[in-house]
Amino acid sequence: MDREAEEFFTDFYPRLAGWCRGLVDDDGVAHDIASEAFTRLWARWRTVDRPESYLFSIAANLVKDHWRARENERSAVRRLLAGRREHAPAADQGFDLRSLVEALPARLRVPVLLYYYAGLPIAEIAAVLHRRPGTVKGDLHQARERLRTALRGLHEIST
């Protein structure tokens, strides 16, 4: 690995791992995701124009895969418990914004993760996702509307 790549890793790994930690709520999983994202970056180091954006995109997809696996595990446990009990215990009656973001379609979820959680600008998100900036803005607007609607059903929100 060349000096530039080493410096990039040293400077950027803590930020990426911290971002992942906020999304998966587990230090070990966050470091696994950040490490995997860097491994994929190193495979394309010389061809990637925007390494930060590339890392966040890869990490967002890995987070999504983690959420999906976690939900599959929960579903399996619920099915198992449903077979043993007539009524499964109720889930937390509060809301979890992370769950609402997880429920968005990937077309909307990835821009939300990159914009609100990673803090990337619209133009950079557009370049990474190979979309026009106006399309990214529209996707973010649609995602906010869906989240607002979901939250209205849970709590009264003033617009």
Side-chain angles (χ1 to χ4, degrees), residues 23-58:
L23 294 171
V24 299
D25 216 19
D26 181 297
D27 286 332
V29 172
H31 284 286
D32 288 346
I33 289 171
S35 297
E36 177 64 22
F38 267 99
T39 299
R40 293 181 188 189
L41 172 63
W42 299 148
R44 302 187 64 203
W45 178 249
R46 295 282 175 218
T47 61
V48 172
D49 292 331
R50 295 179 176 93
E52 288 182 27
S53 299
Y54 183 81
L55 279 173
F56 276 116
S57 293
I58 294 300

Side-chain angles (χ1 to χ4, degrees), residues 48-112:
V48 172
D49 292 331
R50 295 179 176 93
E52 288 182 27
S53 299
Y54 183 81
L55 279 173
F56 276 116
S57 293
I58 294 300
N61 286 328
L62 293 170
V63 165
K64 176 188 67 166
D65 292 344
H66 170 74
W67 286 343
R68 184 180 301 124
R70 192 176 67 191
E71 184 54 38
N72 289 342
E73 290 168 1
R74 282 191 209 128
S75 294
V77 169
R78 280 193 297 267
R79 285 191 307 272
L80 179 65
L81 292 176
R84 292 185 183 174
R85 296 185 212 155
E86 202 163 306
H87 300 291
D92 179 13
Q93 297 303 313
F95 75 94
D96 179 8
L97 186 58
R98 183 181 304 147
S99 296
L100 295 176
V101 171
E102 287 175 24
L104 290 171
R107 175 181 65 78
L108 302 177
R109 183 179 53 247
V110 172
V112 165

Side-chain angles (χ1 to χ4, degrees), residues 75-149:
S75 294
V77 169
R78 280 193 297 267
R79 285 191 307 272
L80 179 65
L81 292 176
R84 292 185 183 174
R85 296 185 212 155
E86 202 163 306
H87 300 291
D92 179 13
Q93 297 303 313
F95 75 94
D96 179 8
L97 186 58
R98 183 181 304 147
S99 296
L100 295 176
V101 171
E102 287 175 24
L104 290 171
R107 175 181 65 78
L108 302 177
R109 183 179 53 247
V110 172
V112 165
L113 291 174
L114 294 175
Y115 186 76
Y116 290 105
Y117 288 83
L120 296 181
I122 300 273
E124 203 161 330
I125 296 168
V128 168
L129 298 178
H130 306 291
R131 298 180 189 163
R132 293 182 176 168
T135 301
V136 172
K137 288 178 185 178
D139 290 344
L140 289 170
H141 174 76
Q142 188 176 0
R144 285 190 301 269
E145 288 301 313
R146 286 185 183 206
L147 293 171
R148 185 176 293 120
T149 298

Side-chain angles (χ1 to χ4, degrees), residues 5-15 38 42:
E6 287 180 30
E7 288 175 4
F8 181 79
F9 178 83
T10 301
D11 292 343
F12 200 73
Y13 183 86
R15 180 176 168 204
F38 267 99
W42 299 148

